[in-house]
Amino acid sequence: MVKYINRIVGKDAIRLNKMMTSFIEHESIVTTRKHAKRVVERFDQIVNTAKRQGVTPDAYRVYQKTLNDLPNSVKKIQEILLPRYQSRNGGYARMLRLEPRLGDNAPQAVVEMVDGNKEYKFWMAARVVARLRQQGLPVDSKTKAQVQQVTQGSPERADKFEEAVKEMTERFYPVPEKIQGSGPLPKKAGSGGKGYKHCPPPKML
């Protein structure tokens, strides 16, 4: 593999093209942090190119070097992504760190589009709030800060967040009693009222 400044060639280029095509289609991917940084940088380049040049031959050459599924990807860029990021000057994607991958312990990250339909941080914050509400617990200061960050002080984003909390409640916590850690352990037959199975004393030899 040969690397140049701001240029990726060889197998890394093929892998990056596949990731970029999948990222534009699904608006979020999970990969290693090294590749996640490349996806964020390349996505900013694609959106800025689309803003400046649209679907001109020069812009199409950039798309051709970066994307595999050109017709569908270019169509989504022009019809969905450009109107979404028209008022934004940069930072169209964000990278969130995850726990290391099992097996090789490689550092992982999730890459998601800003203001996209699948904001990882947005939905995870909604899930935490849904669990706390079902448990009857107050929302801690750290979670409040995350909610403020994902809603950005916008009433529309706040309404969308409440809808996400309801969806997370219905999907993961429909019955408060079944939330792990929300109550005492269930009683079992022969436990004498305790939360564990009764075991007879060992026989003395």
Side-chain angles (χ1 to χ4, degrees):
M1 184 190 71
V2 181
K3 292 185 65 176
Y4 302 93
I5 298 177
N6 295 330
R7 184 179 177 188
I8 303 173
V9 297
K11 294 182 179 180
D12 281 356
I14 297 175
R15 184 186 298 110
L16 181 59
N17 290 355
K18 292 180 179 179
M19 286 192 295
M20 290 304 307
T21 304
S22 178
F23 179 63
I24 290 178
E25 178 183 358
H26 302 289
E27 301 193 6
S28 64
I29 59 171
V30 177
T31 181
T32 60
R33 294 178 191 173
K34 174 183 176 181
H35 294 138
K37 293 178 181 178
R38 292 178 176 176
V39 171
V40 171
E41 294 173 357
R42 187 59 59 89
F43 184 66
D44 283 0
Q45 178 186 359
I46 290 176
V47 176
N48 288 330
T49 300
K51 282 185 175 182
R52 293 192 305 265
Q53 303 178 4
V55 290
T56 59
D58 292 338
Y60 205 81
R61 279 193 289 270
V62 175
Y63 303 147
Q64 194 172 16
K65 293 178 180 179
T66 309
L67 305 171
N68 291 336
D69 188 8
L70 278 178
N72 294 329
S73 298
V74 173
K75 181 179 179 181
K76 183 170 183 178
I77 291 172
Q78 295 295 325
E79 296 181 358
I80 298 178
L81 300 184
L82 272 183
R84 180 189 298 174
Y85 300 124
Q86 194 64 42
S87 59
R88 183 180 283 269
N89 296 326
Y92 311 111
R94 67 167 65 95
M95 182 186 74
L96 303 173
R97 295 186 177 185
L98 299 176
E99 64 276 3
R101 184 169 57 194
L102 294 177
D104 58 358
N105 204 33
Q108 284 189 299
V110 58
V111 185
E112 63 180 11
M113 295 185 186
V114 176
D115 298 333
N117 298 326
K118 298 180 180 179
E119 292 185 78
Y120 182 85
K121 198 170 185 177
F122 181 90
W123 288 98
M124 289 304 296
R127 181 171 176 175
V128 172
V129 172
R131 176 176 59 81
L132 292 175
R133 288 182 181 178
Q134 287 294 81
Q135 289 178 306
L137 299 176
V139 179
D140 55 275
S141 58
K142 184 177 180 180
T143 304
K144 288 182 179 179
Q146 291 179 350
V147 173
Q148 182 66 24
Q149 183 179 4
V150 297
T151 55
Q152 301 173 355
S154 171
E156 296 179 357
R157 296 276 295 179
D159 294 340
K160 183 179 178 181
F161 183 80
E162 288 299 325
E163 294 177 359
V165 171
K166 293 180 181 179
E167 183 176 344
M168 292 293 103
T169 302
E170 296 174 357
R171 180 179 299 182
F172 296 103
Y173 313 114
V175 182
E177 289 78 8
K178 292 186 178 181
I179 302 178
Q180 185 177 3
S182 61
L185 293 174
K187 297 180 180 180
K188 297 183 180 180
S191 63
K194 298 179 180 179
Y196 52 86
K197 186 177 180 181
H198 175 70
C199 297
K203 295 182 179 180
M204 301 298 294
L205 298 178

